[in-house]
Amino acid sequence: MLSRKRKLVPFSTEDAFKEKEAFYSKRRLFTSYVIEDQRLITGQNLWSPEAIDSKTGGSRMKHEIKIEVQKCIGCGQCIKDCPEQNIRLIQNKAQIQSQDCMKCGHCVAICPQNAVSMTGFDQEPIKCDQKEMDPKEFLYTIQTNRSIRQFQKKEIPNDVIQDILEAARYMPTARNMRDVELILLQKEKEQAEEIAVHLFQRLLKGLNLFSKRYRDFLIDDHFFFKKAPLVVVVVGKDKTNAVLAASAMALMAKAHGLGVLYSGFFTLAAHTSIKLKRMLKIPKGKRVQTTLVIGYPSIKYARGVQREALHVQSR
């Protein structure tokens, strides 16, 4: 019994089922467990959604982890690195215990013999050659980065856009949810902005009744996207996953000489306007988490800006 509460609980569910000669099975604590009974599939605890997704034909069903026994040298690196403790060493060979794991791919990435693989992908894993990023150059990029609100009338090449999308694709997500979706606004950009502008113009009229601060605030036809050629609406279930993907895209855009604006105003509009939600066709269970406005800057900043000291606690 958990927490030594046997004296307070009259009986355990396991004992009661066994006394009634019922079928009872279990797995170790805090791991997914799914039971199939003909057409009925049930998740036995809070850690089972991904496993149910796999059993019902979801995104993980097409991925299967395989270990080539002939290549495996029994080094145990995959066992130590597996976050779900889903690999065992049996007769000096690694074996996957269940295909109901989150398919994070750590076992594939760490195997020195390339003995572990995962099916269902359209490309091979990228080989790591241990290239190191210059930390000073990277810090300088962050220190001099600015939100851009003035853009050139210049289209972004498709190969550059693909690089930006790839940066989002390879960012991690919690429990490997892979819940992030991207909506590229190009042809329908003006239509989406028009809906958002009308919404905010109505909101501004209401604000003016209560405060003089917004009396001279102008919301023109390009208030949200600033005439930029590309807008990426980042959609997902989990906000952190979406923000990580957006940050990766922003850095990749910067590497290509592009400027980026995080449009919190448009994100707010997407949460508020039913018409905008319908136009964007937001998948059920997901919402717009952030919006990136991307284009070539028409300005050049001469310097970065000062920042207040960061509050850090060491405990």
Side-chain angles (χ1 to χ4, degrees):
M1 299 292 290
L2 289 176
S3 304
R4 301 177 182 178
K5 299 296 184 182
R6 182 175 286 277
K7 292 182 179 179
L8 300 177
V9 180
F11 62 87
S12 74
T13 304
E14 179 179 352
D15 293 340
F17 279 150
K18 288 180 178 178
E19 287 176 5
K20 298 291 184 179
E21 298 183 351
F23 174 77
Y24 182 87
S25 63
K26 63 181 180 180
R27 285 189 65 178
R28 64 184 185 274
L29 295 175
F30 310 120
T31 59
S32 65
Y33 189 28
V34 171
I35 292 178
E36 293 183 66
D37 185 2
Q38 297 183 17
R39 296 181 63 186
L40 179 64
I41 300 175
T42 58
Q44 302 301 304
N45 53 39
L46 296 174
W47 293 269
S48 302
E50 288 83 2
I52 294 175
D53 178 63
S54 173
K55 295 289 186 183
T56 56
S59 60
R60 287 176 174 78
M61 188 174 184
K62 60 183 179 181
H63 302 309
E64 181 181 356
I65 303 171
K66 294 184 177 182
I67 298 178
E68 294 185 53
V69 178
Q70 297 84 354
K71 291 184 178 181
C72 179
I73 59 175
C75 66
Q77 290 194 50
C78 58
I79 296 173
K80 294 177 182 178
D81 205 49
C82 177
E84 293 204 336
Q85 303 178 25
N86 189 39
I87 309 175
R88 297 286 183 272
L89 200 63
I90 301 176
Q91 295 181 349
N92 206 37
K93 299 291 182 180
Q95 288 190 16
I96 301 296
Q97 298 301 291
S98 171
Q99 292 294 338
D100 289 339
C101 68
M102 61 181 173
K103 302 296 194 303
C104 65
H106 275 245
C107 52
V108 177
I110 201 169
C111 180
Q113 299 298 114
N114 196 25
V116 189
S117 61
M118 196 183 306
T119 64
F121 292 102
D122 57 3
Q123 65 185 64
E124 294 297 316
I126 298 171
K127 188 174 180 180
C128 299
D129 59 6
Q130 304 304 319
K131 284 185 178 179
E132 294 185 0
M133 185 184 302
D134 187 309
K136 291 185 178 180
E137 287 187 7
F138 184 66
L139 181 58
Y140 171 80
T141 299
I142 294 173
Q143 289 173 329
T144 58
N145 189 46
R146 307 300 304 154
S147 295
I148 302 299
R149 293 177 174 83
Q150 300 179 61
F151 296 96
Q152 299 178 39
K153 192 175 182 180
K154 179 182 177 181
E155 294 299 317
I156 303 172
N158 287 332
D159 60 331
V160 174
I161 294 176
Q162 288 305 312
D163 278 355
I164 294 171
L165 302 183
E166 279 290 278
R169 183 160 77 108
Y170 278 94
M171 285 303 285
T173 56
R175 288 193 56 79
N176 200 33
M177 291 171 62
R178 315 315 305 174
D179 62 312
V180 176
E181 295 186 30
L182 306 177
I183 300 173
L184 304 187
L185 291 180
Q186 293 173 297
K187 294 180 181 179
E188 298 183 348
K189 178 165 58 70
E190 292 182 1
Q191 181 184 352
E193 189 169 29
E194 183 180 357
I195 295 172
V197 165
H198 287 165
L199 171 65
F200 266 55
Q201 285 175 341
R202 292 198 303 272
L203 291 175
L204 185 61
K205 289 180 181 179
L207 288 173
N208 286 335
L209 295 175
F210 302 98
S211 174
K212 296 180 180 180
R213 178 182 175 186
Y214 300 100
R215 186 161 296 174
D216 298 323
F217 197 79
L218 177 64
I219 299 178
D220 61 15
D221 294 341
H222 305 289
F223 176 75
F224 294 94
F225 302 152
K226 315 299 182 185
K227 300 182 182 180
L230 176 65
V231 175
V232 182
V233 181
V234 186
V235 178
K237 295 179 180 178
D238 184 272
K239 187 175 182 64
T240 301
N241 294 341
V243 170
L244 285 172
S247 297
M249 287 190 287
L251 286 171
M252 179 57 72
K254 176 78 172 178
H256 278 287
L258 293 159
V260 177
L261 170 67
Y262 282 83
S263 182
F265 283 139
F266 184 80
T267 301
L268 178 60
H271 292 169
T272 308
S273 170
I274 296 176
K275 188 175 181 180
L276 197 53
K277 289 179 183 178
R278 289 173 179 169
M279 181 204 158
L280 294 174
K281 299 178 181 177
I282 307 299
K284 188 176 180 180
K286 298 185 178 183
R287 69 190 311 230
V288 175
Q289 301 291 0
T290 189
T291 306
L292 299 184
V293 179
I294 305 174
Y296 291 99
S298 62
I299 56 171
K300 185 176 181 180
Y301 290 98
R303 60 195 62 84
V305 298
Q306 301 98 319
R307 297 295 189 194
E308 296 289 343
L310 188 65
H311 295 282
V312 180
Q313 295 187 33
S314 180
R315 298 176 183 268

